[in-house]
Amino acid sequence: MRMVDLIQKKKNGGVLVQEEIDFIVKGYTKGDIPDYQMSALLMAIYFNGMNKREIADLTMAYVESGDTVDLSEVTGIKVDKHSTGGVGDKVSLIVLPLVACMGIPVAKMSGRGLGHTGGTIDKLESIKGFNTELSQEQFIFNVNKYKMAIVGQSANLTPADKKIYALRDVTATVDSIPLIASSVMSKKIASGADCIVLDVKVGSGAFVKSIDDARELATTMVEIGKSLNRETIAVITDMSQPLGHEIGNANEIKEAIEVLKGQGALDITIVSLTIASYMAVLGGAFYDFETAYQELKAIVKSGKAIDKLKQLVQIQGGNPQIIDDTDQLPYAKTHIEIKALKHGYVNSIEAESIGISAMLLGAGRKIKEDIIDYSAGITLVKKVGDKVDFGETLCILHTNTDDCIEAETIANSAYTVNDVKPKQIKYIYDVIR
Ligand code: URA
């Protein structure tokens, strides 16, 4: 088999068979196929797409390129969730204790942030002592005993996806539905989940910008799940502005605590409860979504949800006092207020720009070797639809760096204020199952 013939085939709209997909993924991962040939193939896939069988084969080729997590010793239906990525997305921090409260085991592997999007593991590490590198035995023990554990993704999980994702990032081929779908689903399959809830983000801060594309991506991933015997539900949620009011690490932990205490902003509360409810349904705790949603709301109100987060922090070595006293979380020394230059209504907040600004303040990494400042980030005082007066604070930048001019400029330009009140943003657009 020759790579050039496979590129030609895809370029001409052909369908790759399983042996050809395996040849490509193995060859590229081993280094036998060079970047320039893989780039050409990715672009051919970008323009000509893949059918359902090709996407399932690509997903399995990614899974088989590395280790898979054996969760057979965990009792019960293991439910996982995955977000296609956004700014201010602290949903995992909230749903993990919530779903565990229902007695459903959540064995979560999460990533670190890179570029303008944050990572759950970095956020948790802003809690002093929190250990995200449990041994496999401890991980399984905690899931069985407490119904929850969270660790960083193991280095050898879907290495083919990792290498190809890095190439996609520099060849303008990230926003291809077959490539996103296989990348996301391979990680979930390799992590050992029985059932999966996908949070498909749509809007300016997401990889997919239109509802139609989000539906296509969601449907594609649900079908991959079905074809691989993993019951999968995809919820399409808004990312036309950052989720919640906090973007960063320690400040996102603070906001997750507020949601679990029943004091969170509406958008992050609704999205989190929706994702958690579908997880609870797939995990067999409830027959229908509505009952699950009402029960989870009651669990938040009762204080059990926040107690479960406190337990998570405690069993993974962190300081549980931060739950009652968030002032013990890292706190930046400089706070810069970005003011409105006119009065009117906030019409949009460019999520990607806010993510980039937060990264420049120290909350994220430009390259993977960068060290995170857990106290850095942005608080969005005003969100889309809010009325603002001239000189009122739109957002506050938290940092320890002295040079914040670029971050300030970007955060400033992320906001659009107009005379006309915009239409109310929907938080949940659709559910595909
Ligand atoms: N998230 C992933 O894991 N992979 C993609 O390709 C896009 C988002």
Side-chain angles (χ1 to χ4, degrees):
M1 224 179 280
R2 293 190 322 153
M3 183 66 175
V4 64
D5 300 327
L6 304 180
I7 299 169
Q8 181 82 289
K9 187 174 180 183
K10 198 29 101 182
K11 186 184 84 178
N12 294 336
V15 174
L16 299 171
V17 299
Q18 188 188 347
E19 293 70 35
E20 292 169 335
I21 290 175
D22 285 346
F23 169 84
I24 293 163
V25 171
K26 280 197 188 116
Y28 184 64
T29 312
K30 268 190 11 210
D32 295 344
I33 293 171
D35 282 352
Y36 56 83
Q37 282 193 311
M38 194 64 195
S39 306
L41 181 80
L42 290 170
M43 197 52 88
I45 293 173
Y46 181 89
F47 283 112
N48 288 330
M50 285 181 129
N51 71 19
K52 282 182 208 158
R53 205 262 315 130
E54 285 177 295
I55 301 173
D57 287 345
L58 183 59
T59 303
M60 283 317 291
Y62 284 166
V63 172
E64 285 155 14
S65 71
D67 299 338
T68 51
V69 181
D70 180 6
L71 294 179
S72 55
E73 283 176 40
V74 174
T75 43
I77 303 171
K78 278 87 64 187
V79 190
D80 201 355
K81 61 101 31 192
H82 190 88
S83 157
T84 54
V87 178
D89 184 355
K90 65 235 10 123
V91 173
S92 289
L93 298 169
I94 299 162
V95 302
L96 180 73
L98 258 180
V99 176
C101 273
M102 310 306 313
I104 298 167
V106 193
K108 188 95 195 78
M109 284 198 159
S110 286
R112 293 185 183 278
L114 184 62
H116 77 279
T117 57
T120 303
I121 292 298
D122 296 322
K123 294 170 196 177
L124 282 167
E125 284 178 352
S126 67
I127 301 171
K128 201 159 177 254
F130 197 101
N131 179 12
T132 58
E133 289 175 7
L134 303 178
S135 67
Q136 172 75 359
E137 293 70 36
Q138 190 69 55
F139 183 63
I140 302 280
F141 176 85
N142 285 7
V143 179
N144 275 329
K145 180 155 185 195
Y146 306 105
K147 302 296 170 203
M148 58 186 174
I150 184 161
V151 289
Q153 200 171 289
S154 88
N156 200 34
L157 200 86
T158 61
D161 170 58
K162 234 171 254 155
K163 193 167 174 194
I164 292 173
Y165 190 90
L167 189 63
R168 285 167 58 206
D169 211 16
V170 291
T171 55
T173 51
V174 169
D175 53 341
S176 147
I177 287 173
L179 296 177
I180 298 176
S182 46
S183 163
V184 167
M185 290 305 284
S186 65
K187 288 190 275 276
K188 296 296 99 182
I189 308 275
S191 311
D194 298 318
C195 306
I196 302 154
V197 176
L198 300 164
D199 183 357
V200 178
K201 302 282 184 204
V202 62
S204 63
F207 289 119
V208 286
K209 315 284 180 206
S210 77
I211 302 283
D212 284 349
D213 283 350
R215 275 204 191 95
E216 191 185 333
L217 174 61
T219 308
T220 305
M221 293 194 286
V222 168
E223 279 169 357
I224 297 175
K226 210 179 282 170
S227 73
L228 299 172
N229 286 325
R230 293 338 189 262
E231 207 181 332
T232 305
I233 294 178
V235 185
I236 300 176
T237 68
D238 184 68
M239 190 40 71
S240 64
Q241 64 173 336
L243 191 56
H245 285 271
E246 302 290 347
I247 294 93
N249 294 285
N251 57 342
E252 288 201 34
I253 293 283
K254 202 169 150 200
E255 189 166 33
I257 291 170
E258 283 165 12
V259 175
L260 288 167
K261 284 183 174 169
Q263 299 154 4
L266 207 56
D267 59 349
I268 177 68
T269 301
I270 289 177
V271 170
S272 302
L273 284 174
T274 302
I275 300 290
S277 300
Y278 282 112
M279 290 174 79
V281 169
L282 286 185
F286 299 97
Y287 185 68
D288 67 292
F289 168 79
E290 205 41 58
T291 315
Y293 196 93
Q294 293 311 325
E295 188 59 30
L296 287 171
K297 259 172 87 172
I299 281 182
V300 170
K301 203 162 169 213
S302 71
K304 284 188 196 141
I306 192 66
D307 285 350
K308 200 70 183 162
L309 178 64
K310 195 186 262 186
Q311 185 181 51
L312 176 72
V313 172
Q314 176 130 38
I315 59 179
Q316 295 211 200
N319 171 14
Q321 286 171 5
I322 60 104
I323 304 292
D324 301 315
D325 179 14
T326 52
D327 287 351
Q328 292 189 36
L329 285 163
Y331 192 70
K333 65 172 195 253
T334 308
H335 308 272
I336 303 160
E337 297 192 10
I338 304 286
K339 309 276 190 189
L341 300 176
K342 58 189 278 195
H343 68 261
Y345 295 91
V346 175
N347 271 236
S348 64
I349 307 171
E350 261 291 326
E352 189 171 341
S353 302
I354 292 291
I356 293 170
S357 176
M359 177 189 76
L360 294 172
L361 295 169
R365 301 180 182 85
K366 274 183 242 154
I367 54 166
K368 71 178 190 305
E369 289 73 24
D370 280 351
I371 293 175
I372 287 210
D373 174 355
Y374 296 118
S375 68
I378 299 179
T379 301
L380 304 179
V381 179
K382 298 286 182 187
K383 297 243 348 205
V384 171
D386 288 346
K387 193 167 184 295
V388 285
D389 287 326
F390 174 83
E392 243 193 303
T393 303
L394 294 171
C395 64
I396 306 169
L397 315 187
H398 314 287
T399 192
N400 290 305
T401 63
D402 296 324
D403 178 14
C404 328
I405 302 288
E406 196 184 353
E408 268 185 79
T409 310
I410 294 173
N412 216 326
S413 60
Y415 272 84
T416 309
V417 176
N418 270 325
D419 298 338
V420 186
K421 189 171 167 83
K423 273 206 317 227
Q424 171 74 35
I425 290 182
K426 278 175 90 168
Y427 305 133
I428 312 283
Y429 292 102
D430 207 351
V431 178
I432 311 285
R433 47 189 319 178

